[in-house]
Amino acid sequence: MDDMARFYRQPSRTSDLGRNRHRALGLPTGPEALGAIVRGLLIHDYTARVQGLRFSAERMAHKETVGAEAILDNVIGIDPAPLASERPVERRMYGFCYHFALLHCALLRVTGTPARIRCGFAGYFVAQRWIDHWVVEYWDGSGWTLTDPQTGRSGLTRDDFQDGVTAWQLCRDGASPPAAYGNGELWGWDELRGSLINDVAALGKVEVAGWYWCDRLQVEPLDQPHDELDESLDVLARLAAAAESSEELEKCLARYPEFQPPAGAVAR
């Protein structure tokens, strides 16, 4: 795992803190301590609604932010206090699970812990449903540990969270019902396809949210199987699951460039 540990210890274009890198100096290095810091900087859009919080249109637009450097630009623009200072909820950046996961991953990498974000489905939000979600995996020296920086859940098992690769394979094999996977009004194969390509891209350290850019996934009806498309995704999932080195991951990503986020999706 030395190669993979080195690969996931280095920042990506989207996880690089850039001009905000100095703000991580002096932060704790423990994954759970860094997760707590992230929760003190961000507020999930659902939590804000439940708590009846009101934000300006400009603040709500932060939900479209991509990249850890830009996330911290937003955070510091609202409140310039050190990152370890927990903000009142009304002075936190408005975002969603992707932002919690990416910022946590970025802080882990910059403080020396190999980490990656995973796009998939959590089983702990709604009974008998798998809700699309982003979490973090970090290398503890002997294996990958799953943690959820948004909720503070740590030591997640595969019964708690299925990454996009796993969920796709389970549904394609008939071991899980596709209709149980989704979020809000979107359920089934479209969600599974989107989470798969997001997850594979994130394994390659291209960490973006949403698959609006992927024309190949725009098939009708979205919630039904499509043999040609789905067979290609089967190969993508199989290669990603089997990759044991950064070189093998690179080959996996290169095989289907149409499933990889373009520069515009990363830079916005």
Side-chain angles (χ1 to χ4, degrees):
M1 284 298 298
D2 288 347
D3 169 69
M4 293 294 256
R6 285 193 296 270
F7 180 66
Y8 287 117
R9 190 180 291 116
Q10 297 302 313
S12 62
R13 182 179 178 188
T14 34
S15 71
D16 194 340
L17 296 180
R19 58 184 163 270
N20 293 312
R21 186 182 178 89
H22 68 283
R23 300 186 186 278
L25 295 174
L27 291 181
T29 59
E32 303 314 319
L34 289 173
I37 288 173
V38 169
R39 289 190 294 280
L41 301 175
L42 309 177
I43 186 165
H44 194 281
D45 61 331
Y46 178 78
T47 302
R49 290 196 301 272
V50 169
Q51 295 184 1
L53 299 174
R54 295 180 178 273
F55 292 93
S56 67
E58 179 182 5
R59 291 279 302 280
M60 292 176 68
H62 287 169
K63 188 178 175 182
E64 303 302 317
T65 301
V66 174
E69 181 180 36
I71 291 172
L72 286 187
D73 283 345
N74 294 337
V75 167
I76 299 303
I78 298 165
D79 189 327
L83 299 186
S85 298
E86 181 178 357
R87 273 68 165 164
V89 291
E90 67 274 8
R91 294 214 301 273
R92 298 178 189 176
M93 180 189 131
Y94 185 90
F96 67 109
C97 53
Y98 161 80
H99 298 105
F100 286 80
L102 182 59
L103 183 56
H104 189 217
C105 178
L107 293 178
L108 284 167
R109 287 175 179 169
V110 79
T111 55
T113 299
R116 59 196 187 189
I117 66 175
R118 302 303 302 264
C119 180
F121 301 88
Y124 43 81
F125 290 124
V126 180
Q128 299 182 325
R129 290 288 186 271
W130 290 96
I131 306 301
D132 66 358
H133 195 46
W134 290 85
V135 299
V136 170
E137 270 186 327
Y138 64 88
W139 184 252
D140 64 8
S142 60
W144 290 105
T145 295
L146 277 169
T147 187
D148 182 348
Q150 177 196 322
T151 66
R153 290 174 176 262
S154 58
L156 300 179
T157 70
R158 299 303 174 180
D159 291 328
D160 299 317
F161 180 82
Q162 294 176 9
D163 58 65
V165 172
T166 298
W168 176 261
Q169 292 178 321
L170 286 172
C171 290
R172 287 288 283 170
D173 291 343
S176 290
Y181 294 77
N183 190 5
E185 297 179 358
L186 301 175
W187 296 88
W189 288 111
D190 183 44
E191 281 283 322
L192 288 158
R193 294 182 188 109
S195 290
L196 170 62
I197 65 170
N198 278 347
D199 193 39
V200 173
L203 286 174
K205 300 201 307 188
V206 181
E207 303 104 344
V208 301
W211 53 94
Y212 58 90
W213 48 265
C214 188
D215 293 339
R216 184 80 187 277
L217 296 192
Q218 304 308 312
V219 292
E220 293 293 344
L222 289 172
D223 62 349
Q224 297 299 313
H226 289 265
D227 290 345
E228 182 181 359
L229 171 60
D230 294 344
E231 287 170 7
S232 296
L233 291 171
D234 287 341
V235 176
L236 182 70
R238 186 164 60 250
L239 291 173
E244 295 183 349
S245 69
S246 58
E247 183 179 0
E248 289 178 2
L249 273 174
E250 184 177 350
K251 289 180 180 178
C252 169
L253 297 169
R255 178 157 182 165
Y256 291 107
E258 66 270 31
F259 293 137
Q260 300 309 306
V266 177
R268 70 189 176 94

